[in-house]
Amino acid sequence: MWEAVQRIQEERPLVADEVREIGCYNGARGIWRDKRSTSDLTPSGNGVCVGISSRGKYEDEILEETGTYDYPATKSSTYDEGDIDSMRTALELGLPVFLIRDTNSKGELVQGKGPKRRVDRIEFLEDDPISGNLVFTFSLGGRMDYRLPADEEGSCFQARETTKREVRTKKRSQAAFRAAVVRRYGGKRCALCDAPSEVIEAAHIVPVSDNGSDDSGNGLLLCRNHHALFDMGKWCLEPTSLEVIPAKGHNLQSLGVPRPNVSHLKVTPNQEGLDWRWGQFARKSTHS
Ligand SMILES: [Zn+2]
């Protein structure tokens, strides 16, 4: 199927009938599982998902070529559970899922309904532990342009190569980063307080604007308040003791920080990122 798609897509966008004939998608709703020919393959009978049609409804961070696609996993109806089960099955079997989007005649993505279709491959799927959504990573032409950072320790800084390929890998996904950071620290807890999981975010220690990477070691789980205060430079972690150091004019109480340090974390952030951030903090703030 993918080869058939590519043959046409190298020349021009597909039309809806071609997508159906090839077998990528044949439904009306967002998720199409080929129940007729695949329900026997799955113990649940839910079948295997083949294609997903995206018309902007669930789109979160879909970029031109890469991105994530959040699909709500917590809908109460069993229908959605079957859909999600069918997607998991596809990914477990190592089958790509096709992402069908609308384009104009030139092949440019359009919001809402366009006359033509673009078919991409979703290669990766996982739970976003915070939103409870499923996060897809796909890439145009089936290339793995964006992957979650591997669990092994990486750098807090992005590679500086400027080849086209490297530029493409820099496309980022906040949801994928968040999932990696939650996995690293093993829970949805603010490093500084006990805020509920609904308000937990993944903060970049070395900010993206300073060439920070999406490696989990460059991340810290913080509640919205402590994330905002971190980004404002109102506190920082001393990189050796891991003590929370307030900026001048603040103290732990005024910042609403119950813990004097983050040494309770079983896994700590990357040292190079902590060192870099501390350097920035020390330069800007005569801390108390
Ligand atoms: Zn907090």
Side-chain angles (χ1 to χ4, degrees), residues 87-106:
M87 283 190 284
R88 284 191 197 288
T89 304
L91 273 292
E92 275 163 24
L93 293 172
L95 296 169
V97 174
F98 298 109
L99 176 67
I100 289 91
R101 291 182 288 170
D102 286 6
T103 74
N104 60 22
S105 306
K106 291 181 197 158

Side-chain angles (χ1 to χ4, degrees), residues 190-195 222-226 256:
C190 174
L192 265 49
C193 74
D194 293 312
L222 296 171
C223 69
R224 282 180 199 151
N225 284 344
H226 289 132

Side-chain angles (χ1 to χ4, degrees), residues 81-153:
E81 278 169 31
D83 285 348
I84 287 157
D85 186 42
S86 73
M87 283 190 284
R88 284 191 197 288
T89 304
L91 273 292
E92 275 163 24
L93 293 172
L95 296 169
V97 174
F98 298 109
L99 176 67
I100 289 91
R101 291 182 288 170
D102 286 6
T103 74
N104 60 22
S105 306
K106 291 181 197 158
E108 297 158 346
L109 294 176
V110 293
Q111 286 288 335
K113 296 190 178 185
K116 307 280 177 153
R117 304 284 182 272
R118 183 202 273 186
V119 179
D120 290 324
R121 281 172 62 148
I122 294 169
E123 306 266 358
F124 197 85
L125 165 71
E126 78 167 356
D127 292 300
D128 177 343
I130 290 178
S131 68
N133 289 357
L134 295 170
V135 182
F136 305 93
T137 304
F138 68 91
S139 56
L140 180 66
R143 296 189 302 267
M144 289 305 297
D145 289 339
Y146 186 97
R147 274 185 188 274
L148 285 172
D151 280 337
E152 64 260 26
E153 209 70 345

Side-chain angles (χ1 to χ4, degrees), residues 24-80:
C24 299
Y25 182 78
N26 195 13
R29 299 170 314 108
I31 287 173
W32 182 59
R33 29 186 170 131
D34 187 358
K35 274 195 94 169
R36 200 163 51 103
S37 57
T38 63
S39 58
D40 289 348
L41 299 174
T42 56
S44 62
N46 286 327
V48 182
C49 173
V50 178
I52 299 171
S53 168
S54 168
R55 305 202 135 155
K57 202 171 164 192
Y58 298 118
E59 280 182 29
D60 183 9
E61 299 175 63
I62 294 188
L63 307 173
E64 263 293 309
E65 295 190 358
T66 67
T68 58
Y69 178 86
D70 291 347
Y71 187 83
T74 48
K75 281 262 178 73
S76 53
S77 86
T78 53
Y79 208 43
D80 283 343

